[in-house]
Amino acid sequence: MVGESGSGKSVFLKLIKELEKPTKGSIEKISEGRLKNIRYIPQKDFMFEATLDFNISFDQRCDNLSLLKKRVEINNNFPADIELRGENLSGGQAKRIAIARGLFCDDSLLLFDEPFQGLSEQQAKTIEKNILINRSPVIISSHQIYDQNLKYYNKFFIVKDKNIIVYNTLSEFLECDYYRKNKIDSQ
């Protein structure tokens, strides 16, 4: 999901999660049978004064935590112990922990709000690809989408003036005005 700043992308995600209510109109509620849980990963997530692993898993057992950390490029440069509010983390490190936390859960739908903010372009490309090929369903709201990963998306949403335009195929999205005007890269 893409759109200009202030177009309503974050609000749309919060409406799906029912963190906000529509001021007019309505949203059809997703039946519990189709989605047992929805997890919203905000632009800024809270960090606890605890270990790195606790900040990802909340002390739940996970046999493949090391693989998950690798997918979001959490490496030995991260502190083993995180200070309250992540005071000892860079913005990019905190963002990768939040992404790992979202991916850790076995929720049915993940809503990522600007997950690549604060990451290098190469980190963002790699993590975006890893999210898309290893986790479904997911909605990613971002200013940054990369051509090389577009093939992993199955729908495209453009939020413009608080309205949502849906493109059901990659070819439709590649022809739209928004994509041509805001193309991030051509690799």
Side-chain angles (χ1 to χ4, degrees):
M1 176 174 29
V2 294
E4 302 297 328
S5 292
S7 63
K9 296 182 304 295
S10 296
V11 171
F12 178 65
L13 294 178
K14 290 174 184 176
L15 288 168
I16 293 172
K17 177 63 177 161
E18 298 182 335
L19 296 173
E20 291 189 17
K21 301 289 181 201
T23 54
K24 59 182 176 182
S26 64
I27 294 180
E28 186 177 326
K29 188 172 181 166
I30 300 171
S31 70
E32 295 214 13
R34 292 184 60 209
L35 293 173
K36 59 183 173 182
N37 204 3
I38 299 172
R39 179 154 172 89
Y40 171 69
I41 297 85
Q43 291 182 29
K44 280 194 157 194
D45 212 346
F46 188 81
M47 295 295 146
F48 296 93
E49 185 175 2
T51 66
L52 171 63
D53 288 355
F54 179 88
N55 270 280
I56 296 169
S57 68
F58 299 134
D59 228 14
Q60 295 178 33
R61 184 171 143 66
C62 177
D63 293 331
N64 49 354
L65 186 59
S66 60
L67 175 62
L68 176 61
K69 288 159 92 175
K70 184 177 179 181
R71 285 183 181 154
V72 297
E73 299 190 355
I74 293 175
N75 53 38
N76 294 333
N77 295 333
F78 281 67
D81 294 306
I82 308 300
E83 294 176 7
L84 187 62
R85 292 184 297 282
E87 296 291 330
N88 59 333
L89 299 172
S90 71
Q93 287 174 321
K95 187 57 79 169
R96 285 179 276 166
I97 292 169
I99 293 169
R101 185 183 291 166
L103 294 172
F104 179 83
C105 296
D106 194 23
D107 296 321
S108 294
L109 175 61
L110 292 178
L111 308 173
F112 285 103
D113 194 353
E114 295 291 348
F116 313 123
Q117 192 175 41
L119 301 180
S120 73
E121 183 175 317
Q122 189 54 52
Q123 287 172 332
K125 287 178 181 180
T126 300
I127 293 170
E128 178 186 40
K129 179 180 177 183
N130 285 333
I131 290 171
L132 293 168
I133 64 174
N134 291 297
R135 188 65 170 81
S136 183
V138 61
I139 297 176
I140 297 174
S141 167
S142 182
H143 291 284
Q144 302 161 308
I145 56 170
Y146 299 100
D147 284 357
Q148 68 189 43
N149 292 332
L150 290 177
K151 62 187 172 195
Y152 301 113
Y153 287 90
N154 58 21
K155 283 194 190 294
F156 302 87
F157 302 93
I158 297 175
V159 182
K160 184 175 181 180
D161 301 323
K162 312 281 189 263
N163 291 300
I164 299 169
I165 304 163
V166 179
Y167 294 93
N168 290 307
T169 66
L170 176 57
S171 59
E172 287 177 2
F173 180 68
L174 293 177
E175 293 299 317
C176 78
D177 287 339
Y178 182 89
Y179 174 76
R180 285 188 265 130
K181 290 178 185 172
N182 297 285
K183 190 173 175 184
I184 303 283
D185 67 27
S186 57
Q187 299 174 353

